[in-house]
Amino acid sequence: MKGLTVKIGGDNSNLEKSLKKSKFSIRGFAQGVASVFAGGALLAGAGISLHGFVNQLKKGFGEATAFEQLTIQVETFTGSADAAKRILEEIDDLSVSTPFEASSLQTGATRMLSAGIAAEKVFSTLQSITNIASTDRAVLDFADAISKGFAKGKFQLEDLNKFLERGVNLLPALSKVTGKDSAELVKAISAGEITFEHMAAALAAMSAEGGQFFGMAEKLSKSTAGLISTLNSNITNLRRDFMLPIADAFKPILDLAIAKTQEL
């Protein structure tokens, strides 16, 4: 409304403390915003739509806040900030070197972590999955099957069928890993004797030299679709990393806004 003035009275000591505490964050935010508009001016000078640039910033901000939540989630599962940082960096690298989106790899990893698989085994298993999968959907299905089997403490036919539905027959590899012939293996599966260790070894063997899927991931990453995926992953990571400190600098401002709205 025109002419409306809101005065905040009372003890402002907490407000002043908050402002002092956040001055560096706000300064960083201001510098970030300045750099954003400077970049926008350069892009506009290069004939790139400012509207498109702003849309990229919006995407980056959303990706940065989602990544923060993902980091918290992974830290909770692993019990270590260092372990979370390491596995997320490894996933970023994997998304760039394979034809799969970072979001699919992140979801697959968190599913396995939530099932209780140790952090040091999650990435190696995820890497094995990317070596035999042909699509992002397959990555998620395989990670889901591994997670459910691990949670149950055994892998049954329904878990193995998820791989078969995506063109991956694990039975020959499991036969080699366990030393059982086909009939014995079927009995072992029915008896619940196939463990996560068996599955991890079978997945690794299938993409190792001499394995059925050896070299497939590298070839897929060099295909047109694979190169487009790698480019998208690079752009997404750059956009997200650019916006992370700016999103972080919003926190003290949001804290102050929340505090003041609660006082109204």
Side-chain angles (χ1 to χ4, degrees):
M1 288 183 288
K2 213 170 182 179
L4 177 62
T5 302
V6 177
K7 292 184 179 180
I8 301 173
D11 182 6
N12 288 324
S13 58
N14 288 333
L15 174 60
E16 290 172 2
K17 285 178 183 177
S18 297
L19 285 170
K20 286 178 181 177
K21 185 178 179 181
S22 64
K23 67 178 180 179
F24 292 111
S25 296
I26 294 172
R27 185 184 301 163
F29 169 70
Q31 290 171 345
V33 171
S35 67
V36 165
F37 280 104
L42 288 172
L43 288 170
I48 299 173
S49 165
L50 188 59
H51 176 70
F53 178 65
V54 170
N55 281 340
Q56 289 300 309
L57 291 181
K58 287 180 180 178
K59 280 186 180 180
F61 190 82
E63 288 158 352
T65 55
F67 189 75
E68 181 187 26
Q69 291 180 315
L70 174 67
T71 302
I72 293 169
Q73 190 179 15
V74 175
E75 281 182 12
T76 303
F77 289 142
T78 61
S80 165
D82 290 338
K85 181 181 179 183
R86 183 175 65 254
I87 194 169
L88 289 173
E89 286 176 349
E90 289 173 336
I91 289 172
D92 272 354
D93 292 341
L94 193 60
S95 72
V96 171
S97 63
T98 65
F100 306 110
E101 298 295 331
S103 58
S104 299
L105 301 177
Q106 290 163 355
T107 300
T110 53
R111 283 181 185 176
M112 288 190 280
L113 286 168
S114 66
I117 300 175
E120 60 270 17
K121 293 182 180 180
V122 165
F123 181 72
S124 60
T125 305
L126 186 64
Q127 196 168 30
S128 294
I129 286 173
T130 61
N131 287 332
I132 65 171
S134 56
T135 64
D136 284 278
R137 185 66 256 173
V139 168
L140 293 172
D141 284 348
F142 295 166
D144 187 57
I146 291 291
S147 302
K148 288 179 178 177
F150 183 89
K152 291 184 297 185
K154 59 185 178 181
F155 287 82
Q156 298 171 299
L157 281 175
E158 63 188 58
D159 303 309
L160 300 180
N161 283 339
K162 279 207 170 185
F163 288 86
L164 193 58
E165 288 165 4
R166 294 288 176 180
V168 179
N169 182 5
L170 282 174
L171 293 180
L174 282 171
S175 184
K176 288 181 180 178
V177 166
T178 59
K180 299 179 185 295
D181 61 29
S182 297
E184 291 171 334
L185 182 60
V186 171
K187 288 181 181 178
I189 294 169
S190 298
E193 295 173 1
I194 301 303
T195 66
F196 170 76
E197 284 70 26
H198 291 135
M199 292 290 287
L203 290 172
M206 293 185 83
S207 58
E209 189 171 357
Q212 182 182 0
F213 293 91
F214 176 68
M216 187 179 78
E218 184 180 358
K219 290 176 183 176
L220 284 174
S221 68
K222 292 179 180 178
S223 67
T224 302
L227 291 171
I228 290 172
S229 174
T230 297
L231 178 60
N232 285 337
S233 293
N234 280 328
I235 292 171
T236 298
N237 292 346
L238 286 170
R239 188 170 55 205
R240 179 201 69 204
D241 291 344
F242 177 76
M243 292 302 294
L244 274 171
I246 296 175
D248 192 55
F250 259 108
K251 290 178 183 177
I253 298 170
L254 292 171
D255 284 338
L256 290 173
I258 290 168
K260 286 304 163 187
T261 55
Q262 289 174 341
E263 291 175 10
L264 295 177

